[in-house]
């Protein structure tokens, strides 16, 4: 779907997308820490699509299920009970990633 | 001021405050990583008091100025230009912490 | 689905869920008033799952359809036209509860 | 200050202000319950001016300090720790109203 | 579905709906400019139903696809990457309107 | 203050600021229309600093006071009574701009 957005051929939109992907590259902080930051930002702003994207990236970066849940708990306390439906969504996605073998149970 | 809130003597409020402080203790993730998550959550939700609190905790945890700015950049991209006034606020607080000698310029 | 969240076995998350259910128990305010407060908070924060949960609780507490609609109107005026799609969702849920015989038309 | 807004002489704006004040009149729910709903909506949406307005109205309606705090606790749990600075603000306003003799400690 | 809301027969709700439709009539600004404002407000507040409604109105008013995308780009920069899923939704709706012949490619 | 942010020397932050200013240049839509879109986005997201910035730009672009108020009315209806304190803030800024001779009363 993002291809369709880029096909709109709007320079500002294209540059935003470019900026967005560069944000999570290694910088002063390692890219993986920034994926975790992106996950928590998405959770408190209550965006399921964004949560799914960052969950996948966090899992790929090697974060374990328990570490990801500990990050989501920060989002729950900062954002309140209104975050609970998104926590449910995240748990389903974590189960899916686990089923696919794409989520570490322990640090390797 | 939090003392005045605790003096209200409301059990639910007290338990929330207790839960809140426990959130940033070491768990599956180290406490310092969770302070950084709290900072980004506060920045995208645009709460200056919360930003200040977590900036102080991040600085105490040993994060350098550049690392903190790299975290705030995630908040800026996720939350958009509406986050800019809070970025300005954060930079002032970082300068204050730096002036006080409470912020590392390099990892020690 | 909440069971799956509790199965994550994260102490902070469990305590948050516990705190959340205690919030709506009788206190200085009766529990039913607090369900109505939870409904309006959910509506202005635009969370359909949360709206459904509190609608059910409000109906169980004996609030009539007209009283619930009067509460939702507060959410509409405070939160603006962006609340309208959630008002539509709430009306569907109210119809469902009415069809099931779980919603009072008049105070009993 | 609202006078200045009305002096703008924009029909839509005037009608919105009119609609807004009518919202908290007695209807299917008593006006005082709706003031409490307005307070919680304002707290989760984190608007200090709105919180102050509804606190005053709630106090005038006869709600006690403990009842108001119990309502604010709903906002805290639904909205999360991001609501804490607004809780601090509300406590200051409650103290001010108490000092003025405009807040009941017990139901009369 | 709005009919069902009006059937609730709540005077405040009815007046809000009336006020809402009058907002986009010609005034000091032409109605079509206000539809574009409504679109951007809906996009930064991340409400797909509202986005769809205003996209249709903007298309009817004669705005071209490129103009609408340029407006959505403002929402993207102001609201951040959290707006991207709603941008995807908007692009699908624009394609649908285009397929139906209801969207100008060039100003006529 | 933005200079201090640019002095942080973070490439991502710099590129975001650059992207942000380019957003309001003439494109498929004229720059002035996009300033009005930025104003309404800022108002519904309730950011006074952002409102002030866009009010100034809108006034410079030649929009009259009545046109700006008509745009703010869209924000009020979309965003609800929670926008009122920001409307008050905007009216003060408009008065200031008027006093300075920087705001048109009629289209010139």
């Amino acid at each position: 779907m993002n291809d369709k957005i880029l096909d709109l051929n709007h320079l500002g939109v294209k540059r935003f997308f470019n900026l967005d992907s560069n944000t999570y590259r290694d910088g002063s902080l390692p890219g993986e820490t920034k994926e975790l930051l992106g996950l928590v930002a998405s959770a408190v702003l209550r965006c399921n699509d964004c949560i799914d994207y960052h969950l996948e990236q966090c899992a790929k970066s090697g974060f374990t299920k328990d570490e990801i849940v500990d990050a989501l708990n920060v989002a729950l306390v900062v954002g309140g009970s209104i975050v609970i439906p998104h926590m449910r969504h995240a748990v389903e996605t974590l189960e899916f990633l686990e089923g696919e073998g794409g989520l570490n149970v322990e640090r390797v």
Side-chain angles (χ1 to χ4, degrees), chain A:
Chain A
M1 257 315 287
N2 282 352
D3 289 352
K4 282 191 182 169
I5 297 186
L6 299 178
D7 285 350
L8 294 172
N9 236 349
H10 186 288
L11 187 60
V13 172
K14 275 185 178 171
R15 289 179 66 204
F16 189 93
F17 272 72
N18 194 21
L19 185 62
D20 183 34
S21 14
N22 285 328
T23 302
Y24 302 97
R25 300 257 162 86
D26 286 343
S28 297
L29 290 172
E32 64 178 57
T33 303
K34 291 194 276 189
E35 287 295 347
L36 212 59
L37 296 172
L39 173 64
V40 168
S42 303
V44 295
L45 291 175
R46 299 159 46 208
C47 171
N48 282 346
D49 283 359
C50 316
I51 288 171
D52 284 350
Y53 175 77
H54 289 293
L55 278 177
E56 246 184 278
Q57 297 309 109
C58 286
K60 270 190 204 160
S61 303
F63 284 111
T64 65
K65 190 175 175 179
D66 283 349
E67 288 169 330
I68 291 173
V69 170
D70 206 20
L72 289 170
N73 183 48
V74 174
L76 181 63
V77 171
V78 174
S81 68
I82 212 82
V83 174
I84 291 176
H86 303 277
M87 193 98 180
R88 280 199 289 262
H89 180 84
V91 169
E92 277 182 51
T93 303
L94 284 173
E95 278 183 1
F96 174 81
L97 293 169
E98 217 175 356
E100 270 193 324
L103 179 63
N104 289 335
V105 176
E106 288 188 39
R107 270 282 170 191
V108 284

